[in-house]
Amino acid sequence: MHFETNYKLENFILDTRWEDLPAEVQERMKGCFTDLCGAMIIGSRSRQFDAGLRLAESVFAPGNVPVIGSERTFGVLGASAAMGHSSNAYDIDDGHNMTRAHPGTSFVGALLAYAWEKNLSRDEFLAAMLVAYETTIRSGAAIMEYYQYAHSSGTFGAVGVAAGVGRILGFTKEQMNNVLSVAEFNAPLVPGIRSVEYPSMNKDGVPFGVLAGILAVQASQCGFEGNKNLLEADEHKHFLDDLGKKYQVMDLYFKPYPCCRWAHPAIDACVSLMRENNLRPEDIASVTVHTFRRATMLSKIIPATADEAQYNIAYPVAASLVYGDFGLAQVREENLGDPAVTDMMKRLHFAVDEKLDEQFPARRICRAEIITRDGRTFVSDECEPRGEAHENISLNWLQEKFRRITGSVITPAGQESILTMIAGKEDLPIRTIVAEINTPAYWIG
């Protein structure tokens, strides 16, 4: 491989100014922060977050950096690790089709911790998030192209953490070039497809990508030297051709349900058929979901943990048929094992449709067929998951999602105050926003 260092990426990371960004990109970043805050808020009610707090307390240095959803504070590394455990806990965070991964969750905890420590303003933080997104997505595409293997979010996020944190710390372009090399070379090569088949907290490897990215930053500060990253290679530098002209954040998709994206079209297709035809759960004799091959590979076991409920296709579809929705209540572990849902799972069938499979991963489409106990058959139109990039998802859409998914955790008054601070005109300090989110009176239970 031939590498050439021209600092194109490094200059973009360090020189991007919030006030120079297009208005649609600024609004998208406020939407991304809204969405990721929602993910961290509900993620703070997970066992994965509990493990992250114990890790932060037992391994990392103490400090005064707060963590979303906890009264405890840690040093910057511990706070980053803890929020790295919550942001992807319920699989409700943004995604990008080119890398088939979740960029935002893979760096937001680290950037938020460092932004709090350095007392950044909201807009400064959002600019750091933007360059982390662009670096994560483009580096992720290069890594996938180089290894010819479907890695996942923690792999790419390590590079995004290095980019965003390096910017926050005021690295020079030479220091940035070095830390990108160290982070990418030492990133965890997460085999995401294994977690699809065997669900666990391993999932997308987000917490370990966060740690690898921060350790790359700290090792670089201590004199550790890397050399080149894949985006400098002739074979992969084309991923930077439109850097600063086309913003990959505008190609993100956003998830309405806390489960694997591959199950989303099946949920929508089934719920639509139920509503349009006034069907009740007890009317259903069988359901066949015709979909792409990867979706049929999702677990179909009766889940015993939140992760088994998320990386599953039978459970979310069955729960949505019973309740008309799939939200936090359905994925919380205390609510698993509902007899109505487990009985519905027995009536589900999943079939590969070769024409739909040919369109994956650019499009993820399914078609649902419901047969009732009295012999009627209902077939849905082809259905794509809601929240796709081509829908040009608005800030209002993301704010409504925030209200829906956090409604059992944050009071309505708290929701509105948080949303105003994140998206309002006033450029508040990140410390003020984090303190507002963590206001005890806003938290339910």
Side-chain angles (χ1 to χ4, degrees):
M1 299 178 71
H2 177 261
F3 291 84
E4 180 183 353
T5 301
N6 60 16
Y7 297 113
K8 181 175 183 177
L9 177 58
E10 292 80 1
N11 287 333
F12 172 80
I13 293 169
L14 298 174
D15 296 342
T16 294
R17 293 162 53 91
W18 174 257
E19 56 268 30
D20 295 335
L21 294 172
E24 66 173 1
V25 175
Q26 292 182 344
E27 181 168 299
R28 173 53 55 89
M29 294 315 302
K30 291 178 180 180
C32 287
F33 188 27
T34 299
D35 201 51
L36 291 168
C37 278
M40 287 187 288
I41 285 168
I42 67 171
S44 71
R45 297 299 179 90
S46 67
R47 289 196 303 114
Q48 182 167 319
F49 182 63
D50 293 340
L53 289 176
R54 288 192 291 271
L55 176 70
E57 190 170 49
S58 62
V59 174
F60 302 118
N64 64 346
V65 180
V67 169
I68 298 292
S70 174
E71 295 178 353
R72 294 190 236 177
T73 62
F74 304 98
V76 69
L77 186 53
S80 300
M83 289 187 282
H85 281 72
S86 65
S87 62
N88 187 232
Y90 286 122
D91 205 12
I92 192 70
D93 38 275
D94 62 56
H96 194 275
N97 288 342
M98 183 166 69
T99 56
R100 285 169 275 170
H102 303 273
T105 185
S106 64
F107 55 71
V108 65
L111 267 62
L112 193 57
Y114 274 89
W116 191 96
E117 185 182 56
K118 294 298 180 182
N119 198 22
L120 261 62
S121 73
R122 179 199 64 191
D123 291 353
E124 290 171 326
F125 168 70
L126 293 178
M129 276 187 59
L130 172 70
V131 301
Y133 268 110
E134 297 296 316
T135 302
T136 299
I137 293 167
R138 294 164 192 274
S139 182
I143 290 170
M144 295 264 277
E145 192 171 80
Y146 176 74
Y147 287 102
Q148 290 294 298
Y149 184 83
H151 297 107
S152 198
S153 312
T155 304
F156 318 141
V159 191
V161 167
V165 172
R167 175 190 167 102
I168 290 170
L169 295 179
F171 277 18
T172 65
K173 65 181 180 180
E174 292 81 10
Q175 290 173 316
M176 183 62 71
N177 179 260
N178 185 68
V179 77
L180 293 175
S181 167
V182 176
E184 183 245 284
F185 190 90
N186 294 285
L189 299 183
V190 180
I193 196 65
R194 281 173 52 191
S195 194
V196 171
E197 297 183 73
Y198 304 99
S200 72
M201 289 184 191
N202 277 331
K203 210 183 263 176
D204 293 305
V206 168
F208 296 91
V210 169
L211 291 173
I214 294 176
L215 289 174
V217 170
Q218 296 187 344
S220 296
Q221 290 177 308
C222 293
F224 190 91
E225 296 178 357
N227 193 9
K228 310 302 181 190
N229 68 79
L230 286 176
L231 287 172
E232 296 178 279
D234 286 347
E235 295 90 334
H236 311 298
K237 65 183 182 181
H238 62 91
F239 289 113
L240 298 180
D241 285 349
D242 59 0
L243 183 67
K245 300 173 185 175
K246 173 179 171 56
Y247 291 91
Q248 292 292 333
V249 292
M250 302 309 298
D251 288 339
L252 293 170
Y253 66 77
F254 297 93
K255 303 175 69 174
Y257 306 120
C259 61
C260 179
R261 185 67 165 173
W262 299 347
H264 285 213
I267 294 172
D268 284 334
C270 289
V271 169
S272 294
L273 279 182
M274 296 286 284
R275 291 175 179 167
E276 291 166 4
N277 298 285
N278 296 314
L279 298 176
R280 300 166 299 173
E282 55 267 30
D283 295 330
I284 297 174
S286 68
V287 178
T288 300
V289 175
H290 303 270
T291 188
F292 51 96
R293 190 173 307 277
R294 283 289 179 89
T296 66
M297 293 170 61
L298 285 166
S299 173
K300 302 171 189 67
I301 64 172
I302 296 174
T305 68
D307 294 290
E308 289 180 347
Q310 296 163 54
Y311 270 16
N312 196 309
I313 192 166
Y315 177 76
V317 171
S320 66
L321 285 165
V322 171
Y323 292 107
D325 191 16
F326 189 73
L328 180 60
Q330 284 73 48
V331 83
R332 291 287 296 272
E333 288 172 355
E334 59 266 31
N335 296 328
L336 301 180
D338 183 336
V341 177
T342 57
D343 179 67
M344 183 65 74
M345 290 175 71
K346 299 173 185 176
R347 298 179 238 170
L348 303 182
H349 308 277
F350 300 89
V352 176
D353 184 303
E354 295 298 338
K355 290 184 178 179
L356 300 183
D357 191 54
E358 289 172 1
Q359 300 179 65
F360 177 83
R363 300 181 70 193
R364 288 148 298 179
I365 308 172
C366 88
R367 183 177 64 259
E369 178 182 343
I370 295 179
I371 299 176
T372 62
R373 295 188 188 276
D374 60 8
R376 292 175 294 163
T377 298
F378 301 94
V379 180
S380 75
D381 295 331
E382 291 185 353
C383 187
E384 284 192 273
R386 289 184 292 129
E388 286 292 285
H390 65 75
E391 297 176 44
N392 193 25
I393 297 302
S394 68
L395 177 60
N396 286 339
W397 193 100
L398 292 167
Q399 290 175 329
E400 283 303 310
K401 173 189 168 181
F402 178 92
R403 294 183 182 100
R404 181 173 64 86
I405 69 169
T406 65
S408 63
V409 184
I410 299 290
T411 65
Q415 289 177 326
E416 297 313 309
S417 180
I418 292 165
L419 290 174
T420 298
M421 285 192 170
I422 291 175
K425 292 183 178 180
E426 187 176 0
D427 185 16
L428 297 165
I430 278 294
R431 291 184 178 183
T432 300
I433 297 174
V434 171
E436 188 71 8
I437 295 171
N438 277 346
T439 299
Y442 292 158
W443 288 73
I444 300 171

